[in-house]
Amino acid sequence: MVIVLFGAPGVGKGTQAEILAEKLGIAHMSTGAAFRSAIQAQTPVGILAQSFVSQGKLVPDDVVAKIVEEFLAKPEFAKGCILDGFPRTRAQAEELDRMLSASGRTIDHVVNINVDDETIITRLLQRGRQDDQEDVIRHRLEIYTNETAPLLDFYGKKGTLTSVHGVGSVDEVNERILAVLS
Ligand code: ADP
């Protein structure tokens, strides 16, 4: 099973991806977390990504594709996976389809988690990660609206998209997502 968790920064994709991976017994990948650890380790990808991540910009598609391809090739991803934070552009979505079809796979579910902007900003300011300052958060939300949200239409037309309400307890939101997957 291949699941894409979709939604703006701060809607809880990472939290839900971790719980779902545990419950469903499949691997998960957060491109944001992958970039943060690459930056920490100062790998070539990390060095390329760091200025984009710190400014809340999208890392270029070719760099993202490289990191995703590495993950998808790992044996633990063969059974299925949960993708968090990828794809974020039309080019990435098309690249993902190509990578999956190379191993005879397709996306089973795209789950869009909906949270209003003001709740997102409050949550992210509380989280306080390095890229969680208000101006950077607003920039990330703007990029989400302009470059990532149009994918809702792309996946809507493919018939794989379901939206869930992302305000509530972690457990409540998790139940809503599990209901979509069953
Ligand atoms: P958030 O969802 O709160 O923005 P993430 O951990 O998903 O946090 O992403 C952090 C940063 O990593 C993004 O602002 C961006 O710079 C980079 N990033 C993550 N995923 C992608 C992607 N698919 N394409 C381009 N950049 C990405």
Side-chain angles (χ1 to χ4, degrees):
M1 175 135 72
V2 178
I3 301 164
V4 172
L5 288 188
F6 196 88
V11 299
K13 301 185 296 291
T15 304
Q16 294 297 336
E18 220 165 282
I19 299 171
L20 289 170
E22 173 87 14
K23 283 191 178 168
L24 303 173
I26 58 180
H28 80 283
M29 174 189 52
S30 154
T31 43
F35 286 129
R36 281 186 290 279
S37 73
I39 291 167
Q40 178 104 33
Q42 288 288 290
T43 66
V45 163
I47 291 167
L48 276 171
Q50 64 190 356
S51 67
F52 296 98
V53 172
S54 66
Q55 295 172 64
K57 293 185 175 155
L58 291 182
V59 175
D61 289 334
D62 57 327
V63 181
V64 181
K66 219 175 281 173
I67 215 161
V68 174
E69 203 157 26
E70 272 171 31
F71 268 95
L72 291 182
K74 291 183 182 186
E76 64 263 36
F77 279 77
K79 262 202 297 182
C81 59
I82 299 166
L83 303 177
D84 150 24
F86 176 85
R88 290 197 195 203
T89 63
R90 177 66 181 253
Q92 290 179 16
E94 286 168 358
E95 183 63 27
L96 176 61
D97 282 345
R98 267 194 297 278
M99 288 191 279
L100 289 175
S101 68
S103 52
R105 294 182 282 180
T106 53
I107 298 172
D108 297 282
H109 295 279
V110 178
V111 182
N112 172 41
I113 307 175
N114 266 321
V115 174
D116 60 282
D117 279 8
E118 289 316 307
T119 305
I120 285 175
I121 292 169
T122 309
R123 282 187 188 177
L124 292 183
L125 286 174
Q126 276 166 2
R127 182 171 74 179
R129 210 169 64 196
Q130 218 165 29
D131 57 342
D132 288 340
Q133 295 135 33
E134 186 152 358
D135 54 335
V136 179
I137 294 170
R138 288 199 186 275
H139 187 55
R140 301 214 310 274
L141 286 172
E142 210 173 291
I143 291 183
Y144 172 77
T145 303
N146 295 335
E147 303 198 39
T148 308
L151 288 179
L152 289 171
D153 194 43
F154 177 78
Y155 287 121
K157 284 187 179 136
K158 284 179 182 263
T160 44
L161 180 76
T162 312
S163 290
V164 301
H165 182 47
V167 181
S169 70
V170 169
D171 285 346
E172 280 165 354
V173 177
N174 193 251
E175 288 301 320
R176 290 175 200 145
I177 298 173
L178 284 171
V180 169
L181 304 180
S182 65

